[in-house]
Amino acid sequence: MKKLRFVYRTSQIFSNDITTHYFTLRCLPRQEARQKTIEMNYKLWPQAGIVTTKDNFDNFVQKGEILYPHREFGFEVSGIVQVDHSRKRTGWHPCYKYASGYTAVSTVLWAYYQAHRPDQGDELARALYLMNCLYSDFKYVQGVTDVHTTAEQAMTLGRGVCQDYAHILIALCHLDGIGARYVAGFMIGEGVTHAWVEIMCNGYWYGLDPTNNLMVDETYIKLSHGRDYNDCAVIRGSFYGSAKQEQTVSVIVEEVH
């Protein structure tokens, strides 16, 4: 069991005034058997009314609106989370066995799976094998993909970021009959938000981080899970006004002794 202190800050600067700004955030740590929030602080600017609910995947969702002109929007979440991997993570839905918009398979992913198909082991062993293959063959490169890039598109490029690694591994697991889902959160040493995968084996969920070729341990903090990025996007919004945006993101995670 570990206690992790975190600070997560996002700021958006607009080149001109915007108004009638509606936003949806998934920036609060999940509460579940393996993760409990001990302390929480929250700031949002400019001032806005917020309603906190949960979505269909039991993730915290905050919705709000800012109806007056403004040129900056941001939030900061900080606190302490207790992570205990001795407790088993359970819960299942059939949607985690099937492709979503981001994880649909076409010729490139199918050919890759056929070339690296695991021939033995339980779901965890096979998923670890697929993760190791992906880590060896796929390159971490920023700026070549974006939040709209699918697993098939990223695999065709052969490079991308953590979101792409996660989508590809989910797609490969589905091809092998393994239930898999997308996770968004933080990890010690990353500096920004991170994405990884959870796979189902013998009734329990296990975390796999294909970007780093690691099993997820107690140095990770989970914000949300779902079928893909679309279910876990930390920030979404719409507004009136013609303006360019500049966004900065900062994440600090450290162990509390």
Side-chain angles (χ1 to χ4, degrees):
M1 181 176 66
K2 293 184 185 294
K3 290 183 180 178
L4 304 177
R5 178 182 288 113
F6 73 95
V7 180
Y8 171 37
R9 179 185 177 93
T10 291
S11 176
Q12 293 180 321
I13 304 296
F14 301 95
S15 59
N16 295 301
D17 283 342
I18 65 168
T19 188
T20 318
H21 183 182
Y22 299 95
F23 58 88
T24 301
L25 306 177
R26 287 179 175 82
C27 61
L28 303 180
R30 283 182 61 91
Q31 300 278 33
E32 52 185 43
R34 300 174 76 174
Q35 180 174 287
K36 300 294 183 184
T37 299
I38 299 173
E39 178 183 310
M40 179 68 66
N41 301 289
Y42 185 80
K43 302 175 186 175
L44 185 142
W45 59 90
Q47 186 175 0
I50 296 178
V51 175
T52 301
T53 58
K54 287 190 173 183
D55 63 17
N56 291 333
F57 300 97
D58 208 33
N59 305 311
F60 286 112
V61 178
Q62 294 180 296
K63 295 185 177 182
E65 59 183 21
I66 306 169
L67 303 180
Y68 53 87
H70 56 286
R71 293 197 180 189
E72 183 178 6
F73 172 75
F75 59 88
E76 181 179 289
V77 185
S78 61
I80 298 175
V81 172
Q82 180 176 288
V83 184
D84 183 1
H85 278 209
S86 67
R87 301 175 66 86
K88 300 295 186 181
R89 181 179 285 129
T90 60
W92 170 251
H93 192 280
C95 71
Y96 298 126
K97 291 277 280 189
Y98 300 101
S100 66
Y102 280 93
T103 61
V105 171
S106 189
T107 55
V108 175
L109 274 169
W110 175 249
Y112 187 84
Y113 172 71
Q114 288 295 100
H116 299 84
R117 187 171 189 164
D119 59 3
Q120 60 183 350
D122 62 10
E123 290 89 345
L124 179 58
R126 301 199 312 272
L128 286 169
Y129 173 80
L130 290 168
M131 180 175 72
N132 185 64
C133 293
L134 177 61
Y135 182 77
S136 297
D137 297 333
F138 196 76
K139 304 303 179 186
Y140 185 92
V141 179
Q142 296 179 329
V144 297
T145 60
D146 59 31
V147 296
H148 305 293
T149 303
T150 66
E152 182 75 15
Q153 291 167 338
M155 197 71 216
T156 302
L157 290 170
R159 56 194 189 276
V161 293
C162 60
Q163 174 184 305
D164 305 304
Y165 278 87
H167 284 150
I168 293 170
L169 183 58
I170 291 169
L172 294 174
C173 286
H174 285 164
L175 287 172
D176 205 61
I178 303 168
R181 64 189 182 191
Y182 185 99
V183 182
F186 318 132
M187 66 176 292
I188 287 179
E190 185 69 10
V192 293
T193 52
H194 192 45
W196 60 92
V197 175
E198 287 180 346
I199 66 98
M200 174 62 74
C201 178
N202 298 322
Y204 300 117
W205 290 102
Y206 294 86
L208 278 64
D209 179 358
T211 307
N212 297 297
N213 203 28
L214 296 171
M215 286 197 69
V216 172
D217 59 17
E218 294 175 344
T219 62
Y220 291 70
I221 296 175
K222 183 176 177 180
L223 293 180
S224 58
H225 67 230
R227 294 162 298 180
D228 55 29
Y229 168 83
N230 194 51
D231 294 327
C232 301
V234 175
I235 180 170
R236 278 203 174 92
S238 64
F239 57 81
Y240 285 103
S242 178
K244 295 181 179 179
Q245 302 179 50
E246 182 177 334
Q247 179 172 287
T248 59
V249 178
S250 170
V251 175
I252 300 172
V253 181
E254 58 186 6
E255 186 175 356
V256 180
H257 296 285

